[in-house]
Amino acid sequence: MNTIPGSLRASRLSVALAGKQVLSEIDLAFPDARVSALCGPNGCGKSTLLRALAGLIRPQAGSVWLGDRLLSAMTAQERARHLAILGQSPLLPTSMTVAELVACGRFVHTGLTERISDGNQRWISWAISASGLTALRDQPLSRLSGGQRQLARIAMALAQGSHTLLLDEPTTFLDVHHQMEILQRMRALSREHGLTVLWVLHDLNQAAAFSDHMVLMRDGRVHAEGPPATLAVPAVLSSVFGVDMCAGLIDGQPVCLPRMSTPAEQPPCVP
């Protein structure tokens, strides 16, 4: 990986889009070589924050740092060598094979016209293998399931060799099997290769189970942050989402769910 010492962080970051204030004075530092989750209601600014952290949006005020480097002082190519971002499911050229798509991740190193060297081929093969797609490397994207296409996109991001990976709702529209595969693979890659992963997730229980750090947002501000065990509790989640929450244990794993009935109608939950 192309490492820059230190973590990705935002300092008093504010963003306005089309004259509307979207983010206000965000101060965050994401743990290096760990998995962090951004959670919050629709429209709270999660995706905007992710794009600002990637340098895709110019902030109204404040700054983003990658280690000891100011992100705005880096060229787009330099940023891409250290930080990769996957947006929400774009249209893909379905005639491309998995290997051809993943090879696009090396363009930040080779340019569009340079021949793919043996060293770059090793990166491509590693990214395909790490994403569990070795058997499908020569298959066109048109023959892949939605979950397999998402894994191919992740492989393309891994091929960049970046230390930091930002994922915007990587499990949306996927079945439970592929959701779990992506969550488990990304956590394993963070552990095994020291990747810093930041993802936007809507499933609060998945975010808590597969992340080391959680950030809860509301109305363009950070409402709370910290270890999942301290945030994935009814009192905190209810204050963020405005829904009465209930906690319990399933197979020894703590879970939080919205109450489906009034407290008088529902059996007591674990506090």
Side-chain angles (χ1 to χ4, degrees), residues 204 233-235 237-239 241 243-247 256-259 269:
L204 298 171
V233 295
L237 296 179
S238 294
S239 67
F241 291 92
V243 175
D244 191 19
M245 304 292 289
C246 173
C256 279
L257 297 170
R259 288 186 183 273
C269 291

Side-chain angles (χ1 to χ4, degrees), residues 3 14 22 34 57 60 81 87 152 168 178 181 189 208 221 247:
T3 60
S14 295
V22 181
R34 292 292 183 268
I57 295 176
Q60 176 189 33
R81 289 177 176 177
D168 194 359
H178 284 106
E181 182 174 10
L189 284 166
R221 296 180 181 272

Side-chain angles (χ1 to χ4, degrees), residues 7-219:
S7 66
L8 177 67
R9 57 190 174 91
S11 176
R12 300 186 67 82
L13 186 70
S14 295
V15 172
L17 299 175
K20 178 183 178 183
Q21 197 69 39
V22 181
L23 300 176
S24 300
E25 298 189 338
I26 301 291
D27 280 303
L28 284 172
F30 299 97
D32 194 40
R34 292 292 183 268
V35 180
S36 297
L38 281 178
C39 303
N42 289 342
C44 72
K46 301 183 298 294
S47 294
T48 299
L49 176 57
L50 207 69
R51 294 177 66 204
L53 291 169
L56 301 180
I57 295 176
R58 178 174 294 182
Q60 176 189 33
S63 55
V64 177
W65 297 78
L66 193 53
D68 59 359
R69 298 285 306 279
L70 189 63
L71 203 69
S72 60
M74 303 168 76
T75 66
Q77 186 178 38
E78 189 178 7
R79 287 199 306 268
R81 289 177 176 177
H82 298 289
L83 185 151
I85 181 169
L86 282 185
Q88 298 178 22
S89 300
L91 293 174
L92 294 174
T94 54
S95 60
M96 293 181 74
T97 66
V98 169
E100 289 170 341
L101 178 68
V102 177
C104 294
R106 297 305 294 169
F107 289 166
V108 298
H109 301 276
T110 66
L112 295 175
T113 58
E114 185 178 324
R115 186 181 70 85
I116 300 293
S117 66
D118 290 343
N120 288 313
Q121 288 290 359
R122 284 192 291 273
W123 268 107
I124 293 165
S125 294
W126 171 79
I128 291 172
S129 174
S131 302
L133 297 174
T134 300
L136 299 172
R137 64 172 294 142
D138 296 320
Q139 290 292 320
L141 299 177
S142 60
R143 297 182 63 179
L144 269 56
S145 68
Q148 290 167 337
R149 290 186 192 185
Q150 186 70 310
L151 285 168
R153 295 180 68 230
I154 289 172
M156 178 179 64
L158 292 174
Q160 287 182 217
S162 306
H163 174 259
T164 302
L165 183 57
L166 311 182
L167 306 170
D168 194 359
E169 300 185 27
T171 58
T172 299
F173 304 126
L174 300 183
D175 60 51
V176 173
H177 172 82
H178 284 106
Q179 288 180 23
M180 296 300 291
E181 182 174 10
I182 286 171
L183 294 167
Q184 290 168 347
R185 282 191 180 277
M186 293 312 305
R187 184 175 63 175
L189 284 166
S190 176
R191 298 287 190 271
E192 294 167 13
H193 300 283
L195 278 177
T196 298
V197 176
L198 172 59
W199 49 25
V200 173
L201 294 176
H202 278 294
D203 188 307
L204 298 171
N205 293 308
Q206 289 183 352
F210 290 95
S211 306
D212 305 295
H213 186 78
M214 284 182 73
V215 176
L216 298 178
M217 296 182 63
R218 183 168 184 173
D219 299 326

